[in-house]
Amino acid sequence: MALSLRRKKGPSKFEQASDGSMTLIEHVRELRNRLFWAALGIVAGLIVGFIVSQWVFNLLSGPYCALPSSNIAGECKFLVLGVADTLILRLKIALWVGLIVGGPVWLYQLWAFIAPGLHRHERKWAYVFVAIAAPLFAGGAVLAFFVVQHSLAFIMQAGVIGDTTQLEVTSYIGFVTSMIMLFGVAFEFPLVLLMLNFTGVVTAKRLMSWWRIVVLLSFGFAAIATPDPGPFGMTLLAACLVVLYLIAVGVAALNDKRKGRGKEIYAGLDDDEISPIEDDRDPVTAGSRVESIAPVETPEPVSKPLPLSSRFDDMT
């Protein structure tokens, strides 16, 4: 009896968005609510980031503080050009930390708004790609910090002033954070290749045929991205990109084998060669002979004309 009196729940917002029953105004309200909760997550992370900003600053300034020129009276000293530069720098660091700490909240809100428009198998692979993207970005960030730590002394010593000068604090922190972002995004390159393979755009065999171009582009990108003019940082970044590329090709080969993909339809053909056209047309044969044709019955003439209202349909 209690179960019969219980009020039946209606479809959830996710189900309504999936089956297309939500109106445009409901979609706008859904977006507003998602943005509101995402902003709350970022603000909460910003508060946490403001608290730990001093510790993060000490971590980022570690490569510079290891130089002899930065130590004055036993303390690590930076140049400050503006009155509010240190406060603005603390807010920037807090914002970076807030985006990372509040990442699970605003990423979930973004995913909850986009996911109803995807198919079930697309949502499954999206979970996998997001789970892979985070450790790849973290690996790139760690490598960037390692490169800066081992190349900063060489960069300053190779200059016309040498390593006897001090660095401006905002430009130095901006340099380190830019390197971390650049390396982190570069490490997402194999994920793009896997997306192309899982969507059926390219096969593992085609990806492997690009290895010369990938190696060349990896070393070119590493030569531009790394601050160290020496071969250490460039070779390290390029080698990591090539290894990630080979891992992506291996995973793509397993995916092709799982889906039963055979040879490419254009395999063995040159770029200017025409592919053969398969002639799978059914042969045309003579049909059965028609002995006689039945006469067509003509309708009897209407003695009285129909009224005007019955001659036309409602649309006319």
Side-chain angles (χ1 to χ4, degrees):
M1 184 67 179
L3 292 176
S4 61
L5 295 177
R6 183 178 298 176
R7 188 175 182 179
K8 185 179 181 181
K9 294 182 179 180
S12 62
K13 292 183 178 180
F14 187 89
E15 295 174 349
Q16 291 179 355
S18 301
D19 58 18
S21 59
M22 292 183 66
T23 62
L24 177 61
I25 300 300
E26 290 175 340
H27 277 291
V28 173
R29 291 175 181 173
E30 179 73 10
L31 178 60
R32 181 195 61 185
N33 295 333
R34 298 298 181 186
L35 292 176
F36 174 75
W37 288 108
L40 284 183
I42 295 177
V43 170
L46 181 63
I47 296 174
V48 176
F50 191 83
I51 297 174
V52 301
S53 58
Q54 186 63 45
W55 177 81
V56 176
F57 173 77
N58 295 335
L59 178 64
L60 297 178
S61 60
Y64 172 74
C65 293
L67 301 177
S69 60
S70 64
N71 295 320
I72 300 177
E75 295 183 2
C76 183
K77 297 294 184 179
F78 282 95
L79 289 178
V80 179
L81 302 180
V83 177
D85 284 353
T86 55
L87 177 60
I88 295 175
L89 180 60
R90 185 168 189 176
L91 293 177
K92 288 181 179 179
I93 295 175
L95 180 59
W96 279 104
V97 177
L99 291 174
I100 297 174
V101 174
V105 178
W106 62 267
L107 284 176
Y108 170 76
Q109 299 300 328
L110 177 64
W111 172 251
F113 184 76
I114 298 176
L118 302 177
H119 297 288
R120 185 179 299 274
H121 66 281
E122 293 175 341
R123 292 197 293 265
K124 179 187 68 175
W125 290 118
Y127 287 129
V128 177
F129 288 142
V130 171
I132 297 176
L136 283 177
F137 187 89
V142 172
L143 181 63
F145 189 79
F146 180 77
V147 171
V148 171
Q149 190 174 14
H150 288 77
S151 62
L152 186 61
F154 178 82
I155 295 174
M156 296 187 65
Q157 291 174 2
V160 294
I161 301 178
D163 60 351
T164 59
T165 184
Q166 289 181 317
L167 298 180
E168 200 272 327
V169 60
T170 56
S171 62
Y172 169 78
I173 296 299
F175 167 75
V176 177
T177 53
S178 299
M179 289 294 299
I180 291 175
M181 180 62 66
L182 186 63
F183 276 56
V185 173
F187 268 51
E188 305 295 335
F189 168 67
L191 196 61
V192 177
L193 297 180
L194 288 180
M195 288 183 179
L196 294 176
N197 176 259
F198 276 73
T199 53
V201 178
V202 292
T203 60
K205 185 177 180 180
R206 177 58 61 88
L207 290 176
M208 195 61 194
S209 64
W210 298 343
W211 71 270
R212 296 180 180 85
I213 300 176
V214 171
V215 172
L216 179 62
L217 293 179
S218 297
F219 276 91
F221 173 79
I224 299 173
T226 52
D228 187 1
F232 171 73
M234 180 188 70
T235 306
L236 182 61
L237 177 59
C240 291
L241 292 178
V242 172
V243 170
L244 291 175
Y245 159 74
L246 295 176
I247 294 175
V249 172
V251 176
L254 294 177
N255 181 56
D256 291 345
K257 184 178 180 181
R258 181 181 64 87
K259 290 188 175 182
R261 294 175 182 169
K263 297 182 178 180
E264 298 183 14
I265 57 176
Y266 303 114
L269 298 177
D270 296 332
D271 295 337
D272 55 350
E273 185 178 354
I274 301 176
S275 60
I277 300 177
E278 297 181 0
D279 190 3
D280 55 352
R281 295 172 297 178
D282 296 331
V284 179
T285 59
S288 58
R289 184 177 179 180
V290 179
E291 299 295 340
S292 61
I293 300 176
V296 179
E297 297 181 0
T298 57
E300 297 181 359
V302 180
S303 58
K304 184 178 181 181
L306 297 174
L308 184 62
S309 60
S310 61
R311 297 182 190 180
F312 304 97
D313 55 8
D314 294 338
M315 295 297 295
T316 306

